[in-house]
Amino acid sequence: MLGLLGFELVSAVGTGLVLPFTAIFLAEVHGAGTTGIGLLVGAMALLGVVGSLVSGRIVRFGPRLVAQAGLFGQALAFVLVGFAPSLPTLAVTFALAGFGTGLANPQLGVILTELTPEAVQPKAFAVSHWIQNLGLGSGALLGGWLAEGLDRGAFTLMYVLDGLSCAVLAVCLFFIPLRSRGSEKTTGKRGADPADGAAAISYRGALAQAAISLVLVIQLSYEALGFYQIDSSVALLLHDLLFSPQAIGAFVAVNTMTVVVLQVPLAAWTTRVPRARLLMLQGLLWLVGYGLALLGTAGPREWAVPLLVAFYAVFAIGECFYFAALMPLVSQVTPKPYLPRAFALLSSVSGVSKLSGPMIGLLFVGSPHPLSLWALLSAAALVAVACAWRLAALTRTTTDSVPEAKPGDDAEPALSRPVEDPV
C-alpha cells in the first residue's frame, strides 16, 4: 500500500503543476475568452462523467487494466495539450484527458479497497485527502515558478511533466500485488453489483427521500460553486488583477498545506460533532473567507496578500469539515435499500459540478463586474447552510447521533490513495 501511496503522490504533484494554471494557460497562450475556457473545462468534465460510466461497465477486465488504460490516456492527452496548436485541437485533447480520468479514478478506488483491510478503510479515506493536498500544493508551487514568465515553452514542459506523472503511476501499477479476482473477497457480497440488490428502487424514489435530496443540494452548492471555482474562476480573477502565476501557486499551496497540517488533528474532533452541523460550520467559515477575499481583491493593494492568504486557509478548514462529514452523512441518513442509488447520485452530482461550476464562475469573471464572483459563491454557501440546518433538524431525533469512540478509534489512520469522487 505504501508503494501505491508514493506513486499517487507523484501523480498528485503532476496535477498540481497544471491544475491552478489551466485558465491562465488558455487565456495567455491560446487567447481564449472566459466562455471558451469554460467550454473547454466543461468538455473535460463531461467526458469524465462518460468515462466513469464506461469504467463501471468494463470492470470485468480487472481494476488494474482499466485504471492503466485511463492513466495512459491521460498521459497522452496532457502531453498533446502542451503541444496543441489551436483551440479545436485543445478541445479534443481536453476531452481525451477527461475520459481517461473517468476511466482511472473509480478503478483506483477499487485497488485501494483490495489493498486496505476493511476495518481501517474509513480512516484511510480520511487521510487520502491529506495525501492529495500534499501533492497538489507541492506541484502548485513548482508550477507557479515555471509559469512566472507566461512562456509557452514553460507551459508545454508543465503539461509534459503532468503526462509523465500519469504514465509513471500506470506503469507502477504492474508491480502492486492485488488479490485474485476469483477470491471470496472480490466475488462475494462486495463484488456484487450494488444495483442488483436494489432493482426495484428507482432514482425517483431515492430523490423522494428528503434527507438524500438535501445532501445532494449541499454537495452541488459546495462543489460547483466552491471547490471547482478555486482552480478556474478564482485563479483567473486573481490573474486579471495582476497577480503572477507564482503568487497564485503560493496561494494554492497555502490552501493545500493548511489541509495537510490540520486534516489529521481535526479528524478526532470532527468525529464528535454531528455531520450536518459540520456542513453548516463549513458554510459559515466559507462566508467569512469570501468576505476576506472580497476585501483582498477590492481593497488597498498592500492588504491583498495577507487577506487572500487568510481566505485560502479558511477555505481549507472548510474542506476538512466537508470530507469528514459528507460521505458518512450519506450512509447515516439513507435507508439501506436506497444506498446504491444515493451513491450513484453523488457521483452524478460531482460530474455536473465539474461541468457547470467553472463555466458559471468564468461568466462572472468575464462580466463588467468580476468581483461579483464572491457574491455568487456566498449565495451558494448560504443555500448549503440552510439545507444543512434543515437536515440537522430532520436527523436530530433519529440518525444524527455520533457513536462514542471505542478503544483504538483514535489510532493513527492508515494511508491510502486519494479518491476525489464517490463511486
Side-chain angles (χ1 to χ4, degrees):
M1 190 196 320
L2 290 177
L4 178 62
L5 173 64
F7 303 143
E8 284 285 351
L9 182 60
V10 171
S11 179
V13 171
T15 301
L17 274 173
V18 301
L19 186 62
F21 311 107
T22 298
I24 298 172
F25 164 71
L26 295 173
E28 294 293 337
V29 174
H30 289 279
T34 53
T35 301
I37 295 171
L39 289 173
L40 287 167
V41 174
M44 182 183 291
L46 178 61
L47 268 294
V49 175
V50 174
S52 295
L53 296 174
V54 173
S55 181
R57 292 291 185 182
I58 63 175
V59 69
R60 62 184 178 274
F61 294 109
R64 189 202 313 267
L65 184 60
V66 177
Q68 288 174 319
L71 287 166
F72 281 125
Q74 284 180 270
L76 174 62
F78 286 124
V79 170
L80 292 176
V81 166
F83 292 98
S86 63
L87 289 176
T89 307
L90 276 173
V92 175
T93 56
F94 270 50
L96 176 59
F99 186 78
T101 302
L103 275 183
N105 280 352
Q107 302 313 319
L108 289 170
V110 174
I111 292 172
L112 166 65
T113 63
E114 294 196 5
L115 292 173
T116 309
E118 188 170 356
V120 299
Q121 284 177 12
K123 292 180 179 179
F125 280 113
V127 178
S128 70
H129 190 221
W130 184 91
I131 296 299
Q132 180 77 3
N133 278 272
L134 179 63
L136 290 175
S138 302
L141 285 174
L142 178 58
W145 176 73
L146 289 173
E148 181 68 16
L150 301 177
D151 178 66
R152 173 161 190 151
F155 280 109
T156 297
L157 175 61
M158 291 160 61
Y159 278 98
V160 169
L161 291 174
D162 186 23
L164 288 176
S165 73
C166 295
V168 166
L169 177 57
V171 170
C172 291
L173 285 179
F174 281 116
F175 304 100
I176 294 178
L178 300 180
R179 287 190 295 267
S180 169
R181 299 299 294 171
S183 69
E184 179 181 353
K185 196 72 172 176
T186 55
T187 59
K189 183 177 180 181
R190 176 181 296 199
D193 184 356
D196 292 342
I201 303 298
S202 67
Y203 285 111
R204 181 179 298 179
L207 288 170
Q209 305 291 313
I212 296 177
S213 296
L214 287 169
V215 169
L216 293 175
V217 174
I218 292 169
Q219 182 195 14
L220 184 65
S221 300
Y222 281 152
E223 292 189 4
L225 299 177
F227 292 114
Y228 295 124
Q229 300 297 322
I230 293 297
D231 299 313
S232 56
S233 59
V234 172
L236 188 61
L237 174 64
L238 295 182
H239 176 68
D240 289 346
L241 295 175
L242 302 181
F243 284 94
S244 68
Q246 192 171 17
I248 294 170
F251 289 143
V252 173
V254 168
N255 173 265
T256 56
M257 293 306 167
T258 301
V259 173
V260 167
V261 171
L262 296 181
Q263 181 80 65
V264 175
L266 284 175
W269 176 75
T270 56
T271 58
R272 299 193 296 268
V273 179
R275 287 119 186 190
R277 294 180 187 173
L278 276 178
L279 294 174
M280 290 174 59
L281 183 57
Q282 174 192 350
L284 295 174
L285 279 173
W286 279 10
L287 285 171
V288 173
Y290 295 144
L292 293 171
L294 176 61
L295 292 174
T297 50
R301 185 72 178 186
E302 59 268 22
W303 288 99
V305 171
L307 287 170
L308 288 171
V309 166
F311 158 65
Y312 276 93
V314 169
F315 193 91
I317 297 172
E319 286 185 59
C320 294
F321 293 164
Y322 182 82
F323 284 97
L326 186 74
M327 296 300 289
L329 181 61
V330 173
S331 298
Q332 175 186 325
V333 303
T334 304
K336 189 173 181 180
Y338 290 97
L339 199 55
R341 301 299 187 194
F343 280 113
L345 288 168
L346 282 174
S347 183
S348 298
V349 169
S350 285
V352 170
S353 298
K354 289 180 183 179
L355 178 64
S356 62
M359 290 191 289
I360 295 171
L362 289 167
L363 287 175
F364 276 73
V365 173
S367 73
H369 305 286
L371 296 185
S372 61
L373 174 69
W374 304 121
L376 172 68
L377 305 189
S378 297
L382 285 172
V383 169
V385 169
C387 290
W389 177 82
R390 177 57 181 158
L391 187 58
L394 282 176
T395 58
R396 185 176 297 120
T397 59
T398 54
T399 60
D400 197 21
S401 60
V402 180
E404 293 183 3
K406 298 179 181 179
D409 282 352
D410 57 350
E412 198 65 27
L415 300 177
S416 70
R417 78 162 292 277
V419 178
E420 297 180 7
D421 299 320
V423 179

